[in-house]
């Protein structure tokens, strides 16, 4: 019984480590202190990331259209539970969606 439980815990631990390792970080445009919003648009509350920051992208959603370093886009990146940045300032290597849509 203990061997089965230990094996199950090891599998859960491996899956958690795999999910954590899968998170990729993307650089914010050079010289930009990027606004982090509480929703996908410029009318939401704001805080700022420091210059040189990198962000994870958990999902993406449409919102206010923004013109930034990497073009004009209405795509917003969810970088933390309900915290969004304008994709036009994040170097993702794509002009379109490159992560799942936020649900």
């Amino acid at each position: 019984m203990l061997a089965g439980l230990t094996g199950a815990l090891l599998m859960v631990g491996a899956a958690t480590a795999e999910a954590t390792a899968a998170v990729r970080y993307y650089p914010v445009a050079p010289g930009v202190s990027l606004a982090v919003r509480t929703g996908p648009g410029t009318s939401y509350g704001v805080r700022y990331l420091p210059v040189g920051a990198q962000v994870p992208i958990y999902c993406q959603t449409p919102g206010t259209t923004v013109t930034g370093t990497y073009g004009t886009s209405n795509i917003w990146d969810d970088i933390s539970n309900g915290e969004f940045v304008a994709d036009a300032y994040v170097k993702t290597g794509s002009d379109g969606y490159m992560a799942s849509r936020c649900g």
Side-chain angles (χ1 to χ4, degrees), residues 14-41:
T16 302
E18 206 172 283
T20 302
V23 175
R24 181 172 173 200
Y25 284 77
Y26 299 87
V28 171
V32 173
S33 176
L34 187 58
V36 178
R37 304 282 183 165
T38 56

Side-chain angles (χ1 to χ4, degrees), residues 13-99:
T16 302
E18 206 172 283
T20 302
V23 175
R24 181 172 173 200
Y25 284 77
Y26 299 87
V28 171
V32 173
S33 176
L34 187 58
V36 178
R37 304 282 183 165
T38 56
T42 56
S43 63
Y44 289 90
V46 66
R47 70 177 177 89
Y48 291 90
L49 294 175
V51 172
Q54 293 191 356
V55 294
I57 298 175
Y58 295 104
C59 62
Q60 294 177 302
T61 193
T64 305
T65 298
V66 172
T67 298
T69 306
Y70 301 114
T72 299
S73 176
N74 73 333
I75 299 173
W76 286 75
D77 305 329
D78 188 334
I79 64 166
S80 181
N81 191 19
E83 291 192 312
F84 295 86
V85 296
D87 190 68
Y89 289 99
V90 180
K91 187 174 184 178
T92 63
S94 173
D95 287 336
Y97 287 92
M98 43 66 62

